[in-house]
Amino acid sequence: DAKTTQPTSMDCAEGRAANLPCNHSTISGNEYVYWYRQIHSQGPQYIIHGLKNNETNEMASLIITEDRKSSTLILPHATLRDTAVYYCIVRVVVADKLIFGTGTRLQVFP
Amino acid sequence: DTAVSQTPKYLVTQMGNDKSIKCEQNLGHDTMYWYKQDSKKFLKIMFSYNNKELIINETVPNRFSPKSPDKAHLNLHINSLELGDSAVYFCASSLEGVANEKLFFGSGTQLSVL
């Protein structure tokens, strides 16, 4: 079972920041938080990951709370092409697999 | 060049048939996976192979048999296809041994069993 909970859906206006929350209250100290997204009819795409520090790359920023029980993915300037299902995943390192939950369906509108 | 490629993209077949889906990655990764996405869009891992050896088998029926001729290929053979096998199947690969490795997915194979 997935170890994360996310809202089912969110809307965001084009050009605005999209903030996608994720709860992972049972996360272990050595587990990373990963974010992937799946655009319609495509394979999942890696976005970003982090352990406890905030992370930023060319796609997004990841903010992890100090207690690591939740995180937020930030798309700073959402575009229509960011419309997708976003998955927050806690990596089960020992078992070497990603367990996908139901994700958040982000709809970016003009 | 496509990093993880799957063929075919669409596969329509009758119940009881045997079919294969091929996957190849050109990233030099050690580990490859098969995921299944059902009609409700749940993505579930089926298998993982590391250097041609089976690492994960998520209680998939033995009608499903992955085959890894080399570490760049992981094919999925399905015997006696059933209606419930209809889904999108995704192949993925990653670099083994790195705690924070990321997976690269193919574009999927949509299997329809009639």
Side-chain angles (χ1 to χ4, degrees):
Chain A
D1 291 336
K3 297 174 65 174
T4 63
T5 55
Q6 301 176 250
T8 303
S9 63
M10 295 181 65
D11 290 339
C12 179
E14 190 177 19
R16 298 282 192 170
N19 297 292
L20 291 87
C22 179
N23 287 322
H24 31 79
S25 58
T26 61
I27 192 170
S28 300
N30 61 348
E31 290 179 321
Y32 287 76
V33 179
Y34 283 77
W35 283 84
Y36 281 74
R37 72 179 182 184
Q38 187 174 22
I39 297 170
H40 181 63
S41 298
Q42 298 181 22
Q45 176 190 24
Y46 166 84
I47 301 173
I48 199 167
H49 72 277
L51 184 62
K52 50 185 176 182
N53 296 325
N54 298 337
E55 301 290 343
T56 295
N57 63 19
E58 66 278 4
M59 291 182 69
S61 294
L62 174 60
I63 308 297
I64 303 174
T65 57
E66 193 168 343
D67 63 7
R68 301 187 71 236
K69 293 185 176 181
S70 65
S71 60
T72 301
L73 178 74
I74 301 172
L75 307 178
H77 306 286
T79 70
L80 297 178
R81 286 179 291 184
D82 291 323
T83 293
V85 177
Y86 287 77
Y87 295 98
C88 170
I89 303 163
V90 168
R91 180 70 186 274
V92 182
V93 178
V94 172
D96 193 33
K97 60 186 178 184
L98 288 177
I99 300 176
F100 287 81
T102 54
T104 296
R105 181 171 298 277
L106 175 69
Q107 179 69 53
V108 181
F109 57 91
Chain B
D1 287 341
T2 304
V4 181
S5 58
Q6 299 177 226
T7 54
K9 186 166 178 61
Y10 300 98
L11 185 53
V12 181
T13 188
Q14 299 286 331
M15 278 176 53
N17 284 350
D18 302 338
K19 291 293 179 185
S20 293
I21 305 172
K22 294 185 177 181
C23 179
E24 175 182 5
Q25 55 93 5
N26 62 5
L27 297 167
H29 286 166
D30 305 285
T31 306
M32 296 185 71
Y33 310 78
W34 278 106
Y35 278 80
K36 177 181 179 181
Q37 188 167 41
D38 60 24
S39 58
K40 295 183 179 179
K41 303 300 182 183
F42 288 117
L43 260 168
K44 293 184 180 178
I45 189 167
M46 300 174 67
F47 300 102
S48 118
Y49 267 72
N50 176 259
N51 280 318
K52 303 191 295 177
E53 292 190 14
L54 180 66
I55 303 298
I56 295 172
N57 180 340
E58 289 290 303
T59 60
V60 177
N62 57 15
R63 297 183 296 104
F64 291 78
S65 53
K67 288 186 169 48
S68 182
D70 54 63
K71 72 174 191 177
H73 296 82
L74 182 62
N75 304 322
L76 184 64
H77 188 76
I78 315 170
N79 290 328
S80 303
L81 277 156
E82 300 177 357
L83 294 177
D85 297 333
S86 296
V88 181
Y89 292 83
F90 288 99
C91 178
S93 72
S94 68
L95 191 61
E96 188 270 343
V98 179
N100 55 357
E101 68 206 61
K102 51 193 179 190
L103 268 64
F104 291 81
F105 284 82
S107 56
T109 295
Q110 184 163 340
L111 172 64
S112 298
V113 182
L114 307 178

